[in-house]
Amino acid sequence: MLSDGYGVMAQEQLIKGGLQAMARWSFALCCLLVGGLAGGFIAGPVLRGQHPEGAAVPKELNSYRDIVKKVLPAVVSIESRVKPKAKPKAEKNPRRAPSDDQIPEEFRRFFEEFQQRPFEMPEQQVPTVGFGSGFIVDPKGVILTNYHVVAGADSVEVTLADDRHFTSKEIHGDRKTDLAIVRIDPKDQKLPSLELGDSAMMEIGDRVLAAGAPFGLTGTVTAGIVSAKGRNGLNVNMYEDFLQTDAAINPGNSGGPLVNLEGKVIGINSAIRSRTGGFQGVGLAIPSNMAKSIMSQLLSGGTVHRGYLGVAIKNLDPQLAPRLGVEGTDGVVVGQVYDNSPASKAGIKEGDVITTINGKPIKSSRELQDMVAALPLHKPTQLNVVRDGQPKSLQVTIEEQPDEFGTTVSMPRSRRSPKEADTIPLDKIGVDVTDLTPEQAEQYGYKEAEKGALITKVEPGSSAESAGLRRGMVIAKVEKKPVTNASEAKDAVEKGALDKGILLQVKTPAGGSAYVLLKANTEN
């Protein structure tokens, strides 16, 4: 009986303990539920608000279809036609086409010749035909394209994406920027058009689309990014400020638009850098901001007017500045003053460093070029220069830039090497030179009256090679003093010291002139 009583009591205690435990769990569960609900009401809005207020994560586009639908209708194909001239006689030894050596190294434009050259034409002559792209910028019928697409054309046939065709003879262009406009008459037809955006707002890494007709394949679109900005000094055009892109550009794309993700044109496809002639990842587009000003002048008067100073210039580098008596590196060095130019009339001399124009500091040759081009014509302009360490103020009257300025280059004729007996070695700087005779001047493309020491050989690894001297250049001055022959050049160079630097003025067959500082090559 005792055992039974003890069991009953234990059972009662167990039941009582279980009920107490269940009560505690129920209370805890209730607290959790209440706390969770309260937390949801309090924290929910905060948590929901965190994502919009945080750093925005770019959303990857799954497709460019909406942009393409907006852009393609305004992209056109341009077929340019040149009427055949008088029928040429057959030649036993036909002329060869210009070699790639006459084109800036590794650069190709995309204007394609589909017909044979005149001396190869059959009895029945047909117009020469070229092909490129363009795009409508005004629904009234204004098309923007490259100058080299329509250069020399008597007429062009424009084809829209919807296969409408227009023929036009109203063509205006500017070869110094490689831009041109074509006017077509839409009559009562509605034309799609594209807006020119702000190319200055584009940043490296921004996504872009290139549209056009590569290899005649109309309606082609490729995608990429802005790879670089402000590309210049490539000798593709006289005025350069290219956007670089990796969006595929090929022959036939010339004149087509490069657009941002808003469908606005920020560049005009113009050239590529390639070792094969096809696209290798480096495309160049003329920025839309440059195109706006050029297009405006072409529309209003059919031509572009620019200011002209008449000098060949070079950026001032830190090594050259002290030798020319200039503190810092602001300014540009005058390498050559052209005859009968505004600069020569104002008294500007070779070796002067132009520091300001109308009070505005000059930091680069490109900056001076752009500023002079925009100056009002036939009005006095104030220039400040440093000459032999002394500041001078000059007044120059800006004239209109000659049409041929910067576009004609006299190509040297046959470059026969002078006899070794006629050469003098300048061992100190690593070149051989000879007298620049009238015969040599003609062979290398210099003026007959040009004097100096013609470079016939440059030693690999020498100070001259490091400074950029090449065979065919002429040493005109040593330490700012003229030299008229090889012997004078040797004497002047021997007096110099490479550890301090030897200052030369050199000229090139293309008409260029520059000051270079030769210093001891530390790697030798």
Side-chain angles (χ1 to χ4, degrees):
M1 293 296 294
L2 287 174
S3 60
D4 290 341
Y6 179 80
V8 171
M9 291 176 61
Q11 187 176 8
E12 290 177 350
Q13 290 177 354
L14 181 62
I15 294 172
K16 184 178 179 181
L19 291 173
Q20 290 175 346
M22 289 177 63
R24 286 196 298 269
W25 278 104
S26 299
F27 179 75
L29 181 61
C30 181
C31 288
L32 285 172
L33 290 172
V34 173
L37 290 172
F41 282 113
I42 296 171
V46 176
L47 291 172
R48 284 193 297 271
Q50 281 181 356
H51 182 70
E53 294 176 2
V57 179
K59 184 178 180 180
E60 186 67 28
L61 283 177
N62 293 322
S63 172
Y64 298 108
R65 67 180 69 174
D66 292 335
I67 307 167
V68 171
K69 289 177 181 178
K70 176 181 177 181
V71 170
L72 274 188
V75 179
V76 303
S77 300
I78 298 176
E79 188 178 275
S80 61
R81 296 177 178 272
V82 181
K83 291 181 180 179
K85 307 301 180 184
K87 181 180 177 181
K89 295 180 181 179
E91 298 181 17
K92 293 181 179 179
N93 298 309
R95 293 169 295 169
R96 296 171 60 189
S99 67
D100 288 347
D101 293 339
Q102 297 177 8
I103 303 173
E105 184 180 1
E106 296 178 342
F107 283 91
R108 302 289 182 271
R109 282 181 173 159
F110 319 129
F111 183 60
E112 296 189 300
E113 297 279 345
F114 288 120
Q115 301 294 333
Q116 296 175 328
R117 297 187 177 277
F119 54 78
E120 297 171 335
M121 282 187 175
E123 290 294 326
Q124 184 179 359
Q125 291 188 340
V126 295
T128 301
V129 178
F131 190 83
S133 302
F135 57 96
I136 302 170
V137 291
D138 187 332
K140 294 180 181 179
V142 179
I143 295 168
L144 187 60
T145 185
N146 283 143
Y147 174 84
H148 71 265
V149 170
V150 296
D154 296 294
S155 65
V156 295
E157 183 172 337
V158 177
T159 304
L160 273 63
D162 58 11
D163 209 33
R164 282 184 286 174
H165 297 264
F166 298 89
T167 300
S168 174
K169 293 184 177 181
E170 191 171 352
I171 307 163
H172 304 288
D174 176 51
R175 65 176 176 270
K176 295 176 183 179
T177 56
D178 194 28
L179 290 168
I181 62 166
V182 175
R183 283 184 182 270
I184 59 176
D185 183 7
K187 298 181 180 178
D188 296 330
Q189 300 183 49
K190 184 177 180 181
L191 296 179
S193 63
L194 294 178
E195 179 184 350
L196 292 179
D198 185 357
S199 54
M201 296 300 293
M202 299 301 293
E203 297 291 342
I204 296 173
D206 286 351
R207 284 178 289 186
V208 290
L209 303 178
F215 304 108
L217 301 173
T218 59
T220 298
V221 178
T222 57
I225 63 169
V226 174
S227 306
K229 297 176 63 177
R231 290 290 190 212
N232 60 83
L234 306 178
N235 296 324
V236 178
N237 302 326
M238 181 176 174
Y239 292 92
E240 298 176 337
D241 187 25
F242 289 115
L243 293 174
Q244 181 182 321
T245 180
D246 66 346
I249 298 173
N250 283 292
N253 271 115
S254 282
L258 187 71
V259 303
N260 60 19
L261 296 190
E262 295 178 359
K264 295 180 180 180
V265 179
I266 50 85
I268 296 86
N269 303 323
S270 180
I272 59 173
R273 181 162 188 168
S274 172
R275 296 182 186 275
T276 65
F279 182 69
Q280 290 189 309
V282 181
L284 301 172
I286 301 166
S288 58
N289 288 1
M290 177 184 287
K292 289 175 185 177
S293 61
I294 299 300
M295 185 176 70
S296 175
Q297 293 192 60
L298 292 176
L299 287 171
S300 60
T303 188
V304 178
H305 301 280
R306 295 184 175 91
Y308 172 65
L309 183 58
V311 293
I313 53 178
K314 178 185 177 182
N315 289 339
L316 184 65
D317 61 61
Q319 290 186 331
L320 192 57
R323 299 302 300 271
L324 297 175
V326 179
E327 295 181 2
T329 57
D330 285 353
V332 296
V333 184
V334 177
Q336 184 176 4
V337 179
Y338 299 120
D339 295 338
N340 201 35
S341 66
S344 66
K345 295 173 185 176
I348 297 175
K349 297 183 180 299
E350 295 176 352
D352 284 353
V353 178
I354 301 175
T355 55
T356 68
I357 184 165
N358 283 338
K360 297 180 180 179
I362 304 297
K363 296 185 178 180
S364 69
S365 55
R366 175 186 156 198
E367 189 174 59
L368 177 63
Q369 184 187 48
D370 292 342
M371 289 177 66
V372 169
L375 286 172
L377 304 180
H378 312 299
K379 292 186 178 180
T381 297
Q382 200 71 24
L383 257 67
N384 286 335
V385 304
V386 175
R387 180 180 300 167
D388 298 325
Q390 300 299 316
K392 296 181 72 69
S393 182
L394 302 172
Q395 191 175 81
V396 58
T397 300
I398 298 298
E399 299 176 7
E400 182 165 0
Q401 189 182 97
D403 185 55
E404 70 278 2
F405 179 72
T407 60
T408 56
V409 176
S410 58
M411 297 304 296
R413 299 183 182 181
S414 60
R415 295 187 174 186
R416 297 195 302 269
S417 298
K419 296 178 181 179
E420 291 185 6
D422 297 332
T423 63
I424 296 176
L426 306 185
D427 296 327
K428 181 176 284 189
I429 62 175
V431 298
D432 289 354
V433 294
T434 189
D435 295 348
L436 181 64
T437 63
E439 181 185 4
Q440 296 279 8
E442 183 181 8
Q443 290 175 7
Y444 280 79
Y446 293 102
K447 294 180 180 178
E448 185 178 348
E450 193 76 62
K451 298 293 183 181
L454 176 68
I455 297 175
T456 61
K457 181 181 178 182
V458 180
E459 292 290 343
S462 64
S463 299
E465 186 188 51
S466 299
L469 299 192
R470 298 291 182 266
R471 177 177 175 269
M473 290 182 174
V474 169
I475 300 175
K477 291 182 181 180
V478 179
E479 297 295 348
K480 301 184 187 177
K481 295 180 179 179
V483 293
T484 61
N485 54 48
S487 179
E488 290 181 5
K490 181 177 178 64
D491 292 341
V493 167
E494 289 301 323
K495 294 177 183 178
L498 279 176
D499 56 339
K500 295 181 180 179
I502 300 175
L503 184 64
L504 304 181
Q505 183 192 14
V506 295
K507 297 187 177 182
T508 66
S513 178
Y515 280 88
V516 295
L517 188 66
L518 275 63
K519 303 199 76 172
N521 197 334
T522 56
E523 296 181 0
N524 288 345

